[in-house]
Amino acid sequence: MTSADDLTGSQDRSGIPPATGGTGHRRRTASALLAVVAASAAILSGALPAAAKPTGEPTAGATKKARKHPVPPERMSTVGGEQLGLPGVRIQPGDGAPELPEQLTGLSWIVSDATTGEVLAAQNAHWRLPPASTLKMLFADTVLPKFPRGTTHRVTPEELADMGEGSSLVGIKEHLDYRVEDLWRGVFLRSGNDAVHVLAHMNGGIPETVAQMQARADELQADDTHVVSPDGYDAPGQVSSAYDLTLFARAGLRNADFRSYCATATAKFPGDVDSKTHKRESFEIQNTDRLLTGAWGMKPYPGLLGVKNGYTTNAGNTFTGAAERDGHTLIVTVMHPEPVHPNEVYIEAGELLDWGFSALGKVTPVGSLVGPRSEQSPSPSATPPTQQAGPSPAAAGTTTVEAGSTSTGGGSLGWTAAGVAAALAVGGLGVARTRARTRRRAAAWASSGPSGSTALSASPTGSTAVTGRRRRRRLPTRRR
């Protein structure tokens, strides 16, 4: 049976009691491992890959063993860099670089610096896998800016129909009023598919919302993502990747409401109306992100900003988390780790965050997080000779993204405006001067070209589209 219940998914699979320590605390006894074997057989057709080793290329032993397990494609998307399109662990350590955590079991993971856009390390970053409820980040990126948080909406029975069996619910009731901010807390804290469906109907319906989500994914250059359901519930052909989920989180964290919701540990949610007092009751809801709340024996991760966890039978556990430290915001995505522990996805995410903060400045990036397509420079000629982009609003201050901003940067807009101004200036000079001098200047300009017009591959420090302009060519996408 398919389930999108982020609360019970990983708990039911292993039968192992909650952990009693932090992200580095693992109790894998012989009995626990036996329970894992049985649980894994019930979930997957085969076992999952062994822990990836911290090398630049897959080892011969790992390749041989992988024949019995799910194997990533030999070539994947190269959005963000050529190395990200290759299978296996991608890392370029320098002097003093820490070793990658041991016992990483996720089929796919990625560690990125959201401040600079650098990908510090990754494994199968573009492998298309079921995303589960982490896809709700894209739903929020698409729909959240459309409705003021104080807007009130009365729920109809039709809006709560056609949810998948076993869907995670926050407990919305028909014929009752809910504020938009309450609905979004239901989405982020309880991963409520009922809240998603209500918001989707407010947005024009499920098909319209799915189409808008796909368009948003395409705009963000998330070319691995194919949207079928807005809530992440298992559906044929619905896939995403660790790279794409990281793009969704990075875009969402630029919105103040998105940041507020995903960082909320507990909240009061509207309940039924008391039949005697006719007053609206409320109940407390807790975020299902255990790395945020410390539930099930986890310790809250220091500086965690969110963002979203997920679970379905088909996807296993998925998680994207962001944390801030020393002026850097790191984003880690882990997809489908082995069910060796009920907290496994959080343990591995926490270990990768620890590694990422220790590795800053000690590893050469293996790729970058690209910016939206609309922010890519239309052509090199639009860049004036000496114009340079300043830090984007999202990167200003280098701590996190700009509050209240739903854009993903403004560098390319500055370049375009400056280019237009330069062109107008040249036109004015041509009118004022003689035809001969104008022809000579035009000939000289055409023969030499604007200085620096070809140096567009790297953006200034702090840009939200680091090396993104190299990826203007959209690769063909196979939908599964």
Side-chain angles (χ1 to χ4, degrees), residues 376-387 415-416 419 445 449-457 469 472:
Q376 310 308 298
S377 297
S379 66
S381 62
T383 304
T386 59
Q387 184 70 24
W415 285 340
T416 303
W445 180 271
S451 174
S453 63
T454 58
L456 293 175
S457 59
R469 287 176 294 279
R472 294 175 55 211

Side-chain angles (χ1 to χ4, degrees), residues 132-389:
S133 287
T134 47
L135 193 66
K136 289 181 171 76
M137 293 186 295
L138 176 60
F139 174 73
D141 286 343
T142 305
V143 179
L144 193 152
K146 297 186 178 183
F147 304 105
R149 59 188 300 154
T151 300
T152 300
H153 175 76
R154 176 155 294 187
V155 175
T156 67
E158 293 76 20
E159 293 170 347
L160 298 177
D162 300 325
M163 284 185 291
E165 181 182 358
S167 286
S168 52
L169 306 172
V170 65
I172 294 174
K173 304 295 183 181
E174 59 191 40
H175 305 306
L176 291 179
D177 293 335
Y178 294 85
R179 292 176 302 177
V180 165
E181 61 182 338
D182 293 324
L183 296 173
W184 282 115
R185 290 189 188 101
V187 172
F188 278 94
L189 274 67
R190 301 302 296 174
S191 200
N193 288 3
D194 47 356
V196 170
H197 276 240
V198 171
L199 287 163
H201 279 85
M202 291 174 62
N203 188 52
I206 300 297
E208 174 65 21
T209 299
V210 167
Q212 291 180 18
M213 290 173 64
Q214 189 64 63
R216 177 62 174 161
D218 295 342
E219 158 65 8
L220 293 174
Q221 300 198 61
D223 294 345
D224 300 322
T225 298
H226 179 58
V227 184
V228 179
S229 66
D231 49 26
Y233 190 89
D234 282 341
Q238 181 154 272
V239 291
S240 189
S241 67
Y243 184 89
D244 286 8
L245 294 175
T246 300
L247 292 182
F248 302 153
R250 193 185 189 210
L253 288 171
R254 293 189 174 99
N255 182 289
D257 286 337
F258 185 107
R259 289 202 309 276
S260 173
Y261 295 135
C262 75
T264 300
T266 61
K268 292 291 185 180
F269 194 83
D272 286 327
V273 176
D274 188 281
S275 58
K276 295 181 179 179
T277 65
H278 303 290
K279 292 183 178 180
R280 189 78 179 267
E281 299 175 342
S282 64
F283 57 93
E284 185 174 278
I285 57 175
Q286 184 183 49
N287 202 312
T288 56
D289 178 353
R290 301 175 195 172
L291 212 57
L292 177 70
T293 64
W296 273 73
M298 293 298 298
K299 292 181 179 179
Y301 192 87
L304 195 77
L305 305 176
V307 224
K308 191 70 189 75
N309 57 320
Y311 170 82
T312 66
T313 303
N314 192 33
N317 283 288
T318 58
F319 178 68
T320 297
E324 180 188 15
R325 186 183 302 172
D326 299 329
H328 286 270
T329 297
L330 296 189
I331 302 177
V332 165
T333 296
V334 178
M335 300 187 75
H336 206 156
E338 292 184 6
V340 295
H341 193 283
N343 290 331
E344 189 65 27
V345 73
Y346 304 102
I347 292 172
E348 296 190 17
E351 290 176 345
L352 285 170
L353 283 170
D354 287 341
W355 175 86
F357 284 117
S358 298
L360 285 170
K362 300 174 184 177
V363 296
T364 300
V366 296
S368 64
L369 301 178
V370 297
R373 283 189 164 89
S374 62
E375 293 187 4
Q376 310 308 298
S377 297
S379 66
S381 62
T383 304
T386 59
Q387 184 70 24
Q388 295 190 11

